[in-house]
C-alpha cells in the first residue's frame, strides 16, 4: 500500500523527484504538523550577554563568612594563605617561566628594559661596519677599498657605495671592524661600527 502511494506521488510530481528525495515529502514524515497560516511569528527573548555556564547560585553563608575572615586578616597573613592552601590540597607548585631572550615590549618597565640593553651591549662580541658617507672625489678609492675586504665585484661594490648609508660587513670581531674603519677613513670615507 505504501509502495503504491510512493509511486503515485513520484509519477504525479516529476519535479519532486528531481529537486528532492521523494521520501522527504511531508506526507512521509510522521511528525510533520502544518503551520497555522494565521499565527504570529514567535518572538524570542535573548539575554543581554551570553553566559555559557548559565546563572550561578549565590555563595553559601559558610563561603561568605570565610571571605569576610580572609578580608579582615592583615596582609602578612593573607600572603600565607596561598602556600598553606596549596600544601593542604596538594596542588603542584607552578614553576616560573624564563623570559630570557623574549621581547616583552611595553609589559616591562623602562628601567628593566634599559638594564637589559646595558647587559646586551656588554656581551656584544660581533659587530657590523656601516659606511656613513664619503667624499665625492674619493668614490673610486672607496670602491677599491671595499673590494679589498669583501668578495664583491666592481659593479656590486659600486652599487653598494651608491646606496650610502649601507652596511659593508656583518658579524665581524672588534679588531677587524676597527681595521676596516681605519682603511676607509684613510681613503676619504666615514664608517662606523654598530
Amino acid at each position: 500500500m505504501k509502495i503504491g502511494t510512493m509511486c503515485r506521488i513520484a509519477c504525479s510530481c516529476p519535479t519532486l523527484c528531481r529537486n528532492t528525495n521523494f521520501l522527504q515529502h511531508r506526507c512521509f514524515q510522521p511528525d510533520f504538523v502544518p503551520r497555522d497560516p494565521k499565527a504570529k511569528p514567535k518572538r524570542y527573548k535573548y539575554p543581554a550577554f551570553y553566559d555559557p555556564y548559565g546563572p550561578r547560585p549565590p555563595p553559601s553563608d559558610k563561603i561568605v563568612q570565610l571571605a569576610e575572615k580572609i578580608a579582615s586578616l592583615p596582609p602578612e597573613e593573607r600572603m600565607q594563605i596561598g602556600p598553606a592552601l596549596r600544601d593542604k590540597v596538594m596542588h603542584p607548585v607552578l614553576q616560573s617561566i624564563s623570559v630570557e631572550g623574549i621581547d616583552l615590549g611595553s609589559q616591562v618597565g623602562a628601567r628593566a628594559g634599559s638594564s637589559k640593553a646595558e647587559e646586551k651591549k656588554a656581551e656584544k662580541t660581533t659587530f657590523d661596519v656601516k659606511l656613513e658617507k664619503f667624499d665625492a672625489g674619493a668614490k673610486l678609492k672607496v670602491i677599491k677599498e671595499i673590494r679589498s675586504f669583501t668578495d664583491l665585484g666592481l659593479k656590486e661594490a659600486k652599487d653598494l657605495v651608491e646606496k650610502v648609508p649601507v652596511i659593508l660587513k656583518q658579524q665581524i670581531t672588534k679588531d677587524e671592524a676597527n681595521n676596516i674603519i681605519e682603511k676607509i677613513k684613510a681613503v676619504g670615507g666615514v664608517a662606523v661600527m654598530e
Side-chain angles (χ1 to χ4, degrees):
M1 181 85 154
K2 287 189 179 185
I3 295 174
T5 307
M6 288 191 319
C7 290
R8 266 184 276 156
I9 290 172
C11 293
S12 65
C13 299
T15 58
L16 178 69
C17 294
R18 202 172 354 158
N19 294 336
T20 61
N21 186 354
F22 68 92
L23 291 177
Q24 292 177 339
H25 197 267
R26 66 179 171 204
C27 68
F28 293 112
Q29 298 185 9
D31 59 344
F32 176 74
V33 179
R35 189 174 70 85
D36 183 15
K38 295 180 183 177
K40 292 184 179 180
K42 290 183 182 177
R43 294 206 174 260
Y44 295 101
K45 188 172 182 179
Y46 295 107
F49 63 92
Y50 175 69
D51 186 8
Y53 304 108
R56 295 187 183 132
S60 65
D61 293 335
K62 193 175 184 182
I63 301 296
V64 171
Q65 290 172 0
L66 184 63
E68 289 173 359
K69 285 181 185 177
I70 290 172
S72 66
L73 290 173
E76 302 88 31
E77 292 180 4
R78 261 189 264 156
M79 290 176 65
Q80 296 173 2
I81 291 174
L85 191 60
R86 183 176 52 240
D87 294 341
K88 188 74 173 175
V89 295
M90 291 183 272
H91 275 276
V93 178
L94 297 176
Q95 299 294 326
S96 61
I97 298 172
S98 173
V99 292
E100 191 66 35
I102 299 174
D103 183 23
L104 298 176
S106 62
Q107 295 177 2
V108 180
R111 204 170 133 193
S114 64
S115 66
K116 290 207 179 224
E118 290 171 6
E119 289 176 14
K120 286 183 180 178
K121 285 181 183 176
E123 295 173 5
K124 195 167 182 179
T125 56
T126 59
F127 299 91
D128 300 339
V129 177
K130 184 176 185 181
L131 179 66
E132 290 288 325
K133 59 183 177 178
F134 58 89
D135 296 333
K139 183 175 180 180
L140 285 173
K141 292 178 185 176
V142 172
I143 291 171
K144 285 181 183 179
E145 196 58 48
I146 288 173
R147 287 189 64 206
S148 69
F149 60 81
T150 60
D151 56 350
L152 297 175
L154 184 62
K155 178 157 177 33
E156 291 88 5
K158 180 180 177 274
D159 292 340
L160 189 69
V161 168
E162 289 174 350
K163 293 178 186 174
V164 168
V166 66
I167 293 178
L168 299 176
K169 202 152 184 177
Q170 296 178 331
Q171 305 294 319
I172 57 174
T173 63
K174 190 171 186 176
D175 295 333
E176 287 179 85
N178 286 331
N179 190 15
I180 291 171
I181 290 171
E182 288 173 11
K183 287 179 181 178
I184 291 176
K185 192 181 285 184
V187 294
V190 177
V192 293
M193 184 173 22
E194 292 183 339

